[in-house]
Amino acid sequence: LLEAARNLSGGDLLTQTLRYMVVDCGGGTVDVTVHDLDRESMTIAEIHQPTGGAWGDTYVDYKVEKMIEEIIGDEIAKKLTTDDWLEFMRVNVQEAKKNMDGGVEKV
């Protein structure tokens, strides 16, 4: 980030300070923090301390599993083994998450 900021020309940013958000999507949680980068001094200041919640990868998996159980019904869901669920999650859900483009959206 510091290297990218050094290479920006004056017209690329309207202000001296670049504010950016870091979103860390982990297995169990999603954590968010906000920083300011002062282009002149090349220093970073934390604007908002990290915060987050239990919205990570394992929570997404849990919610998908519950949604599928609602669709197929309890009777069929009870017949599925742990291996069946793991294979379904690996082939369908995990691959779908890997293929998300994760692009940056300008706000």
Side-chain angles (χ1 to χ4, degrees):
L1 181 63
L2 291 173
E3 187 61 33
R6 280 189 190 99
N7 294 329
L8 292 173
S9 68
D12 290 334
L13 292 174
L14 298 176
T15 64
Q16 180 65 31
T17 303
L18 171 66
R19 179 165 288 177
Y20 63 94
M21 179 184 298
V22 177
V23 180
D24 176 10
C25 302
T29 63
V30 173
D31 300 298
V32 180
T33 186
V34 179
H35 297 120
D36 275 350
L37 168 64
D38 184 291
R39 291 177 52 205
E40 187 173 319
S41 66
M42 297 309 288
T43 58
I44 296 175
E46 186 176 83
I47 300 306
H48 193 281
Q49 65 183 10
T51 186
W55 310 299
D57 191 53
T58 54
Y59 182 74
V60 172
D61 291 349
Y62 172 79
K63 294 302 266 185
V64 168
E65 185 177 322
K66 293 301 170 194
M67 180 186 69
I68 298 297
E69 286 176 359
E70 283 183 28
I71 293 169
I72 65 175
D74 289 342
E75 211 172 298
I76 295 173
K78 287 177 185 173
K79 292 179 183 179
L80 297 173
T81 66
T82 300
D83 287 342
D84 293 331
W85 276 117
L86 291 174
E87 182 65 9
F88 172 81
M89 296 299 280
R90 186 188 64 77
V91 169
N92 296 287
V93 179
Q94 299 302 325
E95 286 303 314
K97 287 189 283 189
K98 284 185 208 173
N99 292 326
M100 292 181 75
D101 92 358
V104 175
E105 192 174 312
K106 191 172 185 175
V107 179

